[in-house]
Amino acid sequence: MKRFGNFFEKITDFRNLILAYKKAVRGKRYWKSTLEVTFNLERELLKLRDELRNGEYTPGAFRTFVIKEPKERMISAAPFRDRIVHHALCNIIEPIFERSFINDSYACRKGKGTHKALGKFKEFSKDNKFVLRGDINKFFPSIDHEVLLKIIARKIKDKKCLQLIERIVDFSNRQEDVIEYFDGDGLFTPIERKKGLPIGNQTSQFFANVYLDPLDHFVKERLRCKNYLRYCDDFAVFSNDREELESVLVAVSDFIAGLRLKLNKRKTRILKTSEGVNFLGFIVFPGVTRIRGENVRRFKKRLKENREKYKAGKMSLKSVRHSFCGWIGHAMHADSYRLRGLIFNDNVL
């Protein structure tokens, strides 16, 4: 495998830091930490560049909060200057890893995303009777730092770049405890090994794809599964042979143990595509796609709340429309024309 080096200077180049700042500032222009950097932008970026080049850069403390929809998760927001570093790093190293990612990996990649993954899932559903729907148990809290850094080092040989990545990974804040044992572990191994990446970091999303890239190649190249796709830690393998998928399930379970991961036994199942399969907020049948009832209920609740805010003068019509349009764009990827008509006929501002 070819390894790449000599690009730490590119990461810390002032022009790259300016580009990273422009990416990091999107949607966060009026944060206090953003304004502090923006007020003296050139001076702050030069200071950050010098810290990086001198090995003095230290990530700051995360701001954490919990979201409860669609499921309860802890989100970690890094300080703004750290977000600049994350973007600066990804600007340079992401294209190197992108070359080796399989085409049917859809999370956090240019030209991919949720709806492209859904489209491929629909396509596979039409031609196959069965699907292995896989989910990795507590994925982000389970990402093993040592394993991740070894995977990255297969591609990167630049020592300063590896040191920066190690610093970012090691400064991850504490995540949910995951106690899992693997072959060769001692009694205290699960609590001795550093684990977990914060959901919300630019680097975390990228590192997640890097971490599961070996799984993608194992399924596609070693197991010869043509009809496979992955969105973050959700993956699907399609076939007309149920026994084939049972063998794939065993092989995948054994393989990810080498990454110190385990499958979620409740969510990982072999299903008939004709009975409808839950994927990324939709129920996919061969030829027909529905929106999950839970998704519709959440939108109706938000619609009602926004209507009351608008009546009370606490929300502008522009903001209400923006909220509506986001969901409509999502719903249009399902066969939901009548559903959308019913919802909006019953909710007139």
Side-chain angles (χ1 to χ4, degrees):
M1 180 181 290
K2 185 177 180 180
R3 297 175 74 218
F4 298 83
N6 302 319
F7 47 67
F8 186 73
E9 291 297 317
K10 295 180 182 178
I11 293 170
T12 58
D13 183 85
F14 188 76
R15 288 166 296 182
N16 186 47
L17 292 176
I18 284 286
L19 176 60
Y21 163 79
K22 289 178 179 178
K23 290 183 176 181
V25 81
R26 291 172 190 164
K28 303 166 184 70
R29 189 171 299 277
Y30 299 108
W31 285 16
K32 181 182 177 182
S33 57
T34 305
L35 294 171
E36 288 171 351
V37 172
T38 304
F39 184 71
N40 290 298
L41 181 60
E42 184 175 344
R43 186 180 69 186
E44 290 294 330
L45 292 184
L46 288 172
K47 180 183 176 183
L48 186 57
R49 182 195 66 181
D50 292 343
E51 287 180 16
L52 289 165
R53 290 183 174 178
N54 296 333
E56 298 171 353
Y57 165 72
T58 301
F62 288 90
R63 178 177 61 87
T64 62
F65 55 95
V66 175
I67 61 170
K68 297 189 176 181
E69 292 183 355
K71 62 180 180 181
E72 187 169 306
R73 292 184 298 174
M74 184 179 80
I75 305 297
S76 304
F80 183 69
R81 72 193 310 265
D82 291 344
R83 289 171 176 265
I84 295 173
V85 175
H86 299 165
H87 280 285
L89 174 67
C90 289
N91 285 346
I92 304 303
I93 70 169
E94 194 167 332
I96 294 168
F97 286 90
E98 180 67 29
R99 298 170 200 167
S100 68
F101 289 162
I102 67 167
N103 191 49
D104 285 324
S105 165
Y106 289 92
C108 304
R109 295 174 65 194
K110 282 185 180 179
K112 301 292 184 178
T114 305
H115 297 131
K116 287 286 181 69
L118 177 66
K120 181 59 73 170
F121 195 95
K122 290 179 186 179
E123 181 183 320
F124 287 153
S125 292
K126 291 178 183 178
D127 300 325
N128 294 275
K129 295 179 181 178
F130 302 100
V131 58
L132 166 59
R133 272 286 286 112
D135 181 273
I136 294 173
N137 190 48
K138 298 180 180 177
F139 175 55
F140 277 94
S142 298
I143 292 176
D144 187 274
H145 291 188
E146 183 181 335
V147 173
L148 172 62
L149 294 170
K150 282 182 178 178
I151 294 173
I152 292 171
R154 294 174 193 167
K155 285 271 189 186
I156 294 177
K157 61 182 178 182
D158 187 309
K159 289 185 179 179
K160 287 187 176 180
C161 181
L162 288 173
Q163 287 170 356
L164 173 59
I165 293 170
E166 184 174 357
R167 176 153 290 195
I168 291 171
V169 171
D170 282 349
F171 269 79
S172 299
N173 60 337
R174 185 180 179 88
Q175 303 295 302
E176 176 185 358
D177 287 328
V178 181
I179 306 298
E180 297 281 10
Y181 288 89
F182 300 89
D183 287 347
D185 282 359
L187 179 62
F188 299 107
T189 301
I191 58 175
E192 290 172 343
R193 296 183 71 95
K194 292 183 178 180
K195 299 189 297 293
L197 294 182
I199 299 175
N201 269 14
Q202 171 75 15
T203 48
S204 296
Q205 311 304 318
F206 169 62
F207 290 153
N209 273 339
V210 172
Y211 201 85
L212 290 180
D213 185 52
L215 170 64
D216 296 340
H217 288 278
F218 174 74
V219 175
K220 295 284 285 185
E221 296 162 13
R222 294 276 298 278
L223 301 183
R224 304 282 184 180
C225 298
K226 294 181 179 179
N227 301 327
Y228 166 83
L229 65 92
R230 179 177 63 80
Y231 186 91
C232 198
D233 58 322
D234 287 332
F235 65 89
V237 187
F238 291 81
S239 176
N240 285 308
D241 185 344
R242 187 184 183 95
E243 290 184 1
E244 178 190 358
L245 294 182
E246 289 172 351
S247 298
V248 169
L249 175 56
V250 174
V252 166
S253 182
D254 290 342
F255 181 83
I256 66 170
L259 300 173
R260 299 191 65 83
L261 298 172
K262 290 190 177 182
L263 294 171
N264 184 317
K265 293 180 180 179
R266 181 176 63 85
K267 294 182 179 180
T268 300
R269 292 182 293 166
I270 297 172
L271 305 164
K272 290 182 178 179
T273 54
S274 61
E275 294 177 355
V277 182
N278 179 16
F279 185 67
L280 299 179
F282 297 87
I283 306 296
V284 181
F285 297 84
V288 179
T289 303
R290 305 295 186 201
I291 303 176
R292 288 183 63 192
E294 181 184 349
N295 186 299
V296 176
R297 286 191 293 274
R298 284 201 307 270
F299 176 68
K300 284 182 175 180
K301 179 182 176 183
R302 187 165 78 247
L303 188 60
K304 182 179 178 181
E305 290 171 352
N306 288 350
R307 186 178 61 193
E308 296 306 315
K309 288 178 183 177
Y310 176 73
K311 285 181 179 179
K314 296 179 180 179
M315 192 172 191
S316 69
L317 184 59
K318 183 179 179 180
S319 297
V320 173
R321 281 177 175 159
H322 182 75
S323 176
F324 291 173
C325 288
W327 187 82
I328 291 169
H330 178 72
M332 286 177 68
H333 289 271
D335 300 288
S336 62
Y337 179 80
R338 289 185 61 197
L339 172 65
R340 283 179 277 136
L342 288 170
I343 289 174
F344 288 103
N345 285 340
D346 290 341
N347 289 277
V348 178
L349 291 177

